[in-house]
Amino acid sequence: MHAYLAGLGTGLSLIVAIGAQNAFVLKQGLMRRHVLATVAFCALSDAVLIVAGVLGAGAIAARAPWFLETMRWGGAAFLLAYGARSLRAAWRGGAVLRAGEGATSLSATLAVLAALTWLNPHVWLDTVVLLGGVSAGFGDRGAFAMGAVTGSVLFFAALGYGARWLSPVFARPGAWRVLDLCVGLVMWTIALGLVLRG
């Protein structure tokens, strides 16, 4: 139980920070677009990465700088492009929240999520390398992994489905412009951090 709770706490502490993936999940929740698929994709991806880290992929990633370097530049390019899209939407304005209106396809949603998740070196570093390393300090690494996976599922479900409580706020165009502006700035800040870290 100790290893499970440690995994739960560590996983939640790493995932709660606002990042590109979380911003996208929040937006999907607000728009009520493919929320179940979005939450499931993020939670399943996290589970795969957490288990890989606990099984030792963290050591492999740490010994292959080219892998993280490729993720860094690919992630930065994607975040710059997606951030520009959000900033353009904020500049144009006029958007209001009407649940289900103008819904993008499920395949497009999953493609964006795949890029935000699998091309993001922060995800690899936090989920695979860091959680994998921390799990080494526990005798029951399986319980640690299950705790971290539980934290991921709880967080993404709360973010995706809890966003609907903010719907009345985002019925106003001004609030939507602020969200698009914040999403764009978060994406560009992360992208800049990735570029400068090299």
Side-chain angles (χ1 to χ4, degrees):
M1 191 59 155
H2 174 66
Y4 177 86
L5 292 175
L8 178 65
T10 306
L12 282 172
S13 68
L14 290 175
I15 201 171
V16 164
I18 293 298
Q21 184 188 51
N22 295 349
F24 186 80
V25 174
L26 176 64
K27 192 168 183 178
Q28 290 298 108
L30 286 169
M31 294 299 295
R32 300 180 190 176
R33 290 180 181 168
H34 313 296
V35 179
L36 177 60
T38 297
V39 169
F41 182 92
C42 292
L44 182 60
S45 294
D46 254 20
V48 168
L49 291 166
I50 288 166
V51 170
V54 169
L55 293 178
I60 296 170
R63 291 185 187 135
W66 62 266
F67 176 75
L68 291 178
E69 195 69 5
T70 302
M71 292 296 104
R72 180 169 73 94
W73 286 106
F78 180 81
L79 290 170
L80 284 171
Y82 195 86
R85 179 179 163 192
S86 292
L87 291 172
R88 187 177 64 225
W91 176 262
R92 289 181 178 170
V96 292
L97 179 62
R98 294 186 182 92
E101 183 179 278
T104 57
S105 70
L106 177 59
S107 59
T109 298
L110 294 179
V112 170
L113 272 176
L116 290 174
T117 302
W118 296 94
L119 289 180
N120 187 344
H122 289 294
V123 171
W124 287 90
L125 288 171
D126 289 348
T127 310
V128 177
V129 178
L130 186 57
L131 274 177
V134 171
S135 73
F138 293 89
D140 191 350
R141 296 174 73 182
F144 183 92
M146 285 305 300
V149 168
T150 301
S152 176
V153 171
L154 291 174
F155 176 77
F156 283 119
L159 187 62
Y161 287 103
R164 69 181 56 199
W165 296 103
L166 297 174
S167 294
V169 174
F170 285 91
R172 298 192 305 267
W176 198 249
R177 290 183 83 170
V178 169
L179 178 67
D180 279 327
L181 177 64
C182 290
V183 168
L185 291 177
V186 165
M187 304 279 182
W188 276 16
T189 300
I190 295 170
L192 183 61
L194 292 176
V195 170
L196 295 179
R197 192 180 340 143

